Amino acid sequence: MTTDFPDPSPALNSPQRRAILARLSTAMVLPLWGLSGTAGAQTDRHAAMAELFSAWRQGGGVLIIRHAATESGLGDPPGFVIGECRTQRNLSEAGRQASRALGAWLQAQKFKPDAVRSSQWCRCQDTARLAFGGHEDWPALNSTFAGQGDSAAQQQVLRERLLALPVGRTEVWVTHQVIMTGLTGAYPGLGEGFLVDRQGRLRLRADLAA
């Protein structure tokens, strides 16, 4: 099938004709570049996910996940209460959809971790529930943002659990950026997963519920 574009008026001089043709070419090419970039990013993301899950499945260990995308804001509203989701900053619809998509991807891999643990914040609990079907609350994973909790004590508990983890056991910890950065020194994006070793060092990372 041939696509015909209107021929620039013969009255136009050569530079004008070239300018019009250049604009038409750009209009055709830009959407293709955009689609190519998006497809390439998705391919890279899925490759990183596959590499991470392959290593996790074979060697066991802990996959730490930052909760998925949330409503706008930083931290939580003043006076928020653990256990009362309406008082907290919660997952956005995009975050819920991404968590469900992660769950569907995991089902396709026919893989289920031995345990899923979550912060007591609703955005973490919902990420865990939608992606993995359930979770166990673990206060050590609670946010320590803006002086909340006890950062040093919680980090110690996490590190002790890593060292005591039975060989081959697979666990998921759904938590917050501040916890993941405190443990590994690396900054996770929303929905990003870190596969860590027994010393809490980052081995592999991938966007899981982005």
Side-chain angles (χ1 to χ4, degrees):
M1 178 178 178
T2 303
T3 302
D4 295 323
F5 291 95
D7 187 43
S9 170
L12 295 176
N13 59 32
S14 181
Q16 289 174 309
R17 289 173 64 88
R18 286 198 296 270
I20 291 173
L21 290 174
R23 286 197 295 273
L24 289 172
S25 298
T26 300
M28 294 174 64
V29 171
L30 283 178
L32 295 177
W33 274 112
L35 289 172
S36 175
T38 301
Q42 278 294 91
T43 299
D44 290 346
R45 175 175 173 255
H46 288 156
M49 288 174 66
E51 180 184 9
L52 184 152
F53 275 94
S54 176
W56 190 36
R57 187 198 300 262
Q58 293 176 16
V62 173
L63 174 62
I64 312 177
I65 302 176
R66 184 182 179 187
H67 60 77
T70 65
E71 300 160 345
S72 61
L74 180 65
D76 289 280
F80 81 95
V81 179
I82 292 178
E84 294 186 17
C85 296
R86 63 181 178 80
T87 69
Q88 301 177 27
R89 177 168 59 91
N90 297 306
L91 293 186
S92 62
E93 182 55 33
R96 289 189 287 271
Q97 290 180 1
S99 299
R100 293 188 191 100
L102 173 58
W105 189 86
L106 284 165
Q107 287 185 342
Q109 310 308 308
K110 295 180 170 55
F111 179 73
K112 186 175 182 179
D114 295 314
V116 178
R117 299 183 172 200
S118 172
S119 156
Q120 293 177 294
W121 266 247
C122 294
R123 53 186 175 269
C124 294
Q125 294 174 330
D126 288 344
T127 299
R129 176 178 54 82
L130 293 171
F132 298 95
H135 68 276
E136 170 191 351
D137 285 345
W138 193 21
L141 295 172
N142 286 358
S143 178
T144 56
F145 180 73
Q148 301 171 103
D150 186 332
S151 180
Q154 289 173 230
Q155 290 287 327
Q156 181 64 27
V157 170
L158 298 179
R159 293 182 184 280
E160 288 175 355
R161 176 58 187 166
L162 285 171
L163 289 171
L165 196 72
V167 175
R169 181 175 172 83
T170 54
E171 291 193 3
V172 173
W173 298 352
V174 184
T175 186
H176 309 261
Q177 171 270 317
V178 65
I179 294 292
M180 294 172 70
T181 300
L183 189 65
T184 67
Y187 190 100
L190 291 167
E192 189 169 9
F194 286 179
L195 183 62
V196 299
D197 64 16
R198 290 180 177 274
Q199 285 70 45
R201 294 174 299 205
L202 178 58
R203 293 177 53 201
L204 292 167
R205 63 192 297 174
D207 290 331
L208 303 178

